[in-house]
Amino acid sequence: EEIKTAFKEAKALHHKGLWIRRSADEINEFSRKEFQKLYPNKPFELEWKPNTRIFEVELREPQIMWRVVGSEKEAPGNWMLHFDPRLKFTKEQLVDKIALPGGINRAVYVVKIELPIGIKLRGGITAENGMGKGGAAQWWLLDTNIRPVQKNWIQSIEEWKSQ
């Protein structure tokens, strides 16, 4: 089910951009090596669900995305969702589904973002790791020259009140 969701999101974004598929295992291995260079004494947590596909897309038209953060200062960032998480999950469910670092204490605000044309994203299924079970489709800002999300892309920051 989760793979169908990620593919459906990738297909929807395909109409808004150029996209390619890659192996999650390949991306995880690359990320692990880069992480260990920066943090040799910290354990690496998988980002993408093993044995699945990752989709990379360059947007041809603006796209609304969402972030979940612990403070308004964290509104600019790299990880995003293709939907308003308040419509699909409770805070607890989302924290587990996206393996949110910092847990429930980081699910305080929901940030609505409008990404401009030309932005490159990488998306797939969140891996199970020490922060949660994973399983949600997530998107990561791939453009290293403009990361994180630019402040002028932020449409709104709202407190996520418990359901």
Side-chain angles (χ1 to χ4, degrees):
E1 181 63 33
E2 58 209 23
I3 293 171
K4 286 181 186 176
T5 301
F7 184 71
K8 184 178 172 184
E9 287 186 12
K11 194 172 175 183
L13 286 177
H14 169 65
H15 296 292
K16 298 182 180 195
L18 307 169
W19 64 294
I20 59 170
R21 287 190 283 181
R22 298 180 69 179
S23 160
D25 299 324
E26 168 194 350
I27 302 300
N28 281 333
E29 182 59 21
F30 174 80
S31 295
R32 183 188 63 74
K33 288 177 181 175
E34 292 299 306
F35 182 87
Q36 288 178 335
K37 284 181 197 173
L38 295 172
Y39 310 102
N41 298 322
K42 284 187 174 182
F44 174 73
E45 298 278 4
L46 285 179
E47 297 170 342
W48 307 105
K49 184 175 182 175
N51 302 313
T52 62
R53 292 279 179 207
I54 298 296
F55 302 94
E56 293 180 357
V57 63
E58 181 176 340
L59 298 178
R60 288 189 204 158
E61 60 185 63
Q63 176 64 48
I64 298 296
M65 301 295 268
W66 304 85
R67 286 184 38 76
V68 176
V69 297
S71 74
E72 292 185 37
K73 290 188 309 187
E74 297 171 347
N78 301 325
W79 291 96
M80 293 167 268
L81 300 164
H82 190 237
F83 57 87
D84 184 338
R86 298 169 293 188
L87 302 178
K88 290 190 174 193
F89 299 110
T90 65
K91 284 184 183 185
E92 291 79 9
Q93 290 170 328
L94 183 76
V95 164
D96 196 41
K97 281 286 203 183
I98 65 171
L100 185 66
I104 196 73
N105 295 328
R106 293 271 315 282
V108 178
Y109 295 95
V110 176
V111 182
K112 182 179 178 181
I113 300 160
E114 183 174 3
L115 298 177
I117 295 169
I119 295 301
K120 294 177 184 146
L121 299 172
R122 176 180 288 152
I125 304 298
T126 307
E128 180 173 359
N129 59 38
M131 295 172 277
K133 290 181 184 171
Q138 264 197 112
W139 294 88
W140 185 69
L141 187 59
L142 195 53
D143 288 307
T144 56
N145 59 331
I146 56 167
R147 277 196 318 244
V149 164
Q150 304 298 295
K151 289 182 182 180
N152 63 322
W153 301 348
I154 296 171
Q155 302 292 303
S156 64
I157 303 172
E158 297 177 8
E159 187 175 351
W160 188 350
K161 301 189 190 306
S162 294
Q163 290 98 317

